[in-house]
Amino acid sequence: MTPTVDLAQITAATFADARYGIFINNEWRSAQDGKTFTVENPATGDVLMTIPDAGAADAQAAIDAAYAALPAWSALPAGQRADMLRKVAALMLERRERLATIMTLEQGKPLAEARGEITYAASFLTWFAGEAERVYGQIVPANTPNKRILVLRQPVGVCALITPWNFPAAMLTRKLGPALAAGCTAICKPAEQTPLSALELGHLFVEAGFPPGVVNIIPASNPIPFSNAIFDDERVRKISFTGSTEVGRILITNSAKTIKRMSLELGGNAPFIVFDDADLTAAVRGAITSKFRNSGQTCICANRIFVQRGIYERFAEAFTREVAGMKVGNGLLPDSNIGPLIDLPARDKVQRHVENALAHGAQLLTGGTPLPAEANPTRTFWTPTVLANASTDMLVAQEETFGPVAPLIPFDDEEQAITWANDTPFGLSAYFFTRDVSRVFRVAERLEFGIIGANDALPSTAQAPFGGVKQSGLGREGGSVGIDEYLEVKYLALGI
Ligand code: SIN
């Protein structure tokens, strides 16, 4: 039986004392032109908050503030910057329940996943607090005795950080952590669907003692005025963006004007390969985790599930049984495993992929429909779906579905699996399950992806360099190399 939860009461209590605006210089401002926009709950359609809608003048004010704050922030000893980052991380963990509730309300993901995201998000601040203290230079031997060469690493400068709606907290801290640790200041543009998680974090930065102007957060219903202000301004030296490959392409083109550093974490089309010798239980559990995390709305979700013929029937049966048992519903309800999709276009894409697969010969093993109308107020809830005997030419294998649809594609041998897996312009993440250690190395080395999970469906962690190859992006976030994205290398040739 579904436990009783007073959803309206939770929403009212969460936002009763909330104060959000355009966050510049540690102040909460209205938009200069007075505009506002609404943030809605994708599970109910209810308006959660009406907040200021930043335009070009507000973006400009944020750039001014970040630029003014840069000299003092970058000159602060790294240990002091690290202490402040650790303080925000501690506050995030202390306020985890509130932050997770805000996230579920504006994004839709189940509360347990939102709690997990807050912990994950805090880990980037802690990790990069450590890295702040390890930004070393080099002394390089010169080729004459009266010369020395010193290599310095210095903050890039003002950074524009543009984050997506699917991980409203973790994608922000994965960028802010290294930027602030390196001594950069930041202007953050959260996704228009989910600005509240980012704005709530703004309060924690103030509480942790961050000086005005170091972190600025610009909510806007339309990202274009913000982007144009960034592109036009020489003082913004770096853009970090997580989102679609189409938008990434536009950012690359437009940033040519003032030649900015770029980090891009873009789309994926992850293969998930189950070899005959895989541990069946682990492979099924892994496929569930990878495919259905955040209702299938992650860039590293399994998109194409390749299953070798010798294990195909057993995998399909066990996997379908698990999927059929998943509970779709409002993320605040404790037994929901699958929340709503972010909006109707997302839902329409899922429907198009399912219909295309069925029209081209796939069989429906479970799901395949939206939730019934009476349980689906926003029409964005889709039942977790398994498609048998899918093939590589179907839409569901050609495009990133970004929803709870699992196409099972049978394959014959290792060569075929690798060829099919690599047959995509994207190269973010890939997974495979096998018990053969030689195959682990053979396959991992041939897969053209930045992130490989071998018998591991959840490879994301602050210590690892997250990022893609091919059209999945540029640069890495996390790991010891993550801070390099926010550092310029300079050398000093010194005559003595
Ligand atoms: C993403 O979907 O872009 C991020 C997923 C993760 O960090 O695990």
Side-chain angles (χ1 to χ4, degrees), residues 62-63 65-74 155-161 176 179-180 182-188 211-216 235 238 486:
I63 299 172
Y67 189 69
L70 183 63
W73 180 249
S74 57
V156 166
V158 174
C159 300
L161 312 178
L176 259 181
L180 300 175
C184 298
T185 56
I187 309 149
C188 312
V214 172
V215 176
N216 305 279
R235 295 172 299 170
K238 155 111 195 165
Y486 296 89

Side-chain angles (χ1 to χ4, degrees), residues 120 166-167 171 174 242 265 293 297-300 402 460 466:
Y120 179 46
N166 61 345
F167 288 87
M171 298 305 99
R174 189 153 80 185
T242 296
E265 201 260 275
R293 180 176 172 223
Q297 301 173 112
T298 84
C299 302
I300 59 167
F402 236 62
S460 307
F466 191 103

Side-chain angles (χ1 to χ4, degrees), residues 149-450:
I149 295 173
L150 284 74
V151 180
L152 314 176
R153 291 161 81 214
Q154 297 184 317
V156 166
V158 174
C159 300
L161 312 178
I162 308 173
T163 52
W165 50 262
N166 61 345
F167 288 87
M171 298 305 99
L172 183 60
T173 56
R174 189 153 80 185
K175 298 179 192 308
L176 259 181
L180 300 175
C184 298
T185 56
I187 309 149
C188 312
K189 162 70 184 73
E192 46 277 25
Q193 298 91 334
T194 57
L196 304 182
S197 296
L199 294 170
E200 184 69 18
L201 287 182
H203 284 292
L204 304 194
F205 279 95
V206 177
E207 218 175 309
F210 273 77
V214 172
V215 176
N216 305 279
I217 306 172
I218 311 301
S221 63
N222 175 4
I224 306 293
F226 173 86
S227 312
N228 288 341
I230 297 300
F231 292 132
D232 288 346
D233 201 310
E234 286 278 0
R235 295 172 299 170
V236 178
R237 295 310 322 140
K238 155 111 195 165
I239 296 178
S240 177
F241 168 74
T242 296
S244 70
T245 296
E246 295 73 52
V247 174
R249 235 187 286 285
I250 296 169
L251 295 180
I252 292 174
T253 307
N254 292 350
S255 69
K257 197 161 153 192
T258 48
I259 312 284
K260 299 194 196 300
R261 293 264 304 258
M262 309 272 305
S263 302
L264 301 173
E265 201 260 275
L266 307 176
N269 183 357
F272 187 105
I273 308 168
V274 183
F275 288 102
D276 278 347
D277 66 348
D279 173 336
L280 179 66
T281 309
V284 168
R285 200 178 318 117
I288 298 278
T289 305
S290 174
K291 178 67 254 183
F292 295 103
R293 180 176 172 223
N294 198 12
S295 307
Q297 301 173 112
T298 84
C299 302
I300 59 167
C301 269
N303 200 54
R304 300 166 290 158
I305 304 183
F306 297 113
V307 189
Q308 200 163 7
R309 289 194 190 278
I311 199 173
Y312 181 87
E313 292 302 334
R314 284 180 295 137
F315 179 90
E317 192 193 323
F319 181 69
T320 304
R321 199 177 328 115
E322 290 288 323
V323 175
M326 295 181 101
K327 180 96 175 68
V328 187
N330 189 307
L332 288 180
L333 299 173
D335 58 350
S336 295
N337 319 110
I338 301 278
L341 293 166
I342 192 69
D343 53 23
L344 281 174
R347 203 239 35 181
D348 291 346
K349 184 175 193 188
V350 163
Q351 181 156 2
R352 204 165 57 248
H353 280 194
V354 171
E355 285 171 359
N356 171 275
L358 296 176
H360 289 86
Q363 291 100 45
L364 189 62
L365 295 184
T366 186
T369 57
L371 267 197
E374 62 278 11
N376 200 349
T378 49
R379 299 193 292 126
T380 52
F381 288 92
W382 190 268
T383 53
T385 300
V386 183
L387 299 165
N389 296 313
S391 57
T392 54
D393 53 354
M394 294 173 179
L395 278 184
V396 77
Q398 294 282 323
E399 298 176 359
E400 193 178 25
T401 303
F402 236 62
V405 179
L408 307 185
I409 306 173
F411 71 90
D412 294 316
D413 56 28
E414 188 176 303
E415 191 57 35
Q416 186 176 51
I418 294 172
T419 305
W420 282 355
N422 287 338
D423 186 18
T424 166
F426 301 101
L428 187 54
S429 63
Y431 308 87
F432 61 96
F433 277 67
T434 178
R435 280 191 270 216
D436 178 343
V437 74
S438 305
R439 173 181 272 158
V440 167
F441 284 93
R442 229 173 26 237
V443 175
E445 286 166 11
R446 286 190 59 200
L447 286 172
E448 297 163 357
F449 296 82

Side-chain angles (χ1 to χ4, degrees), residues 29-48:
R29 300 186 181 174
S30 302
Q32 292 190 31
D33 61 8
K35 285 193 179 149
T36 58
F37 72 110
T38 55
V39 182
E40 283 157 30
N41 182 338
T44 61
D46 294 341
V47 171
L48 298 172

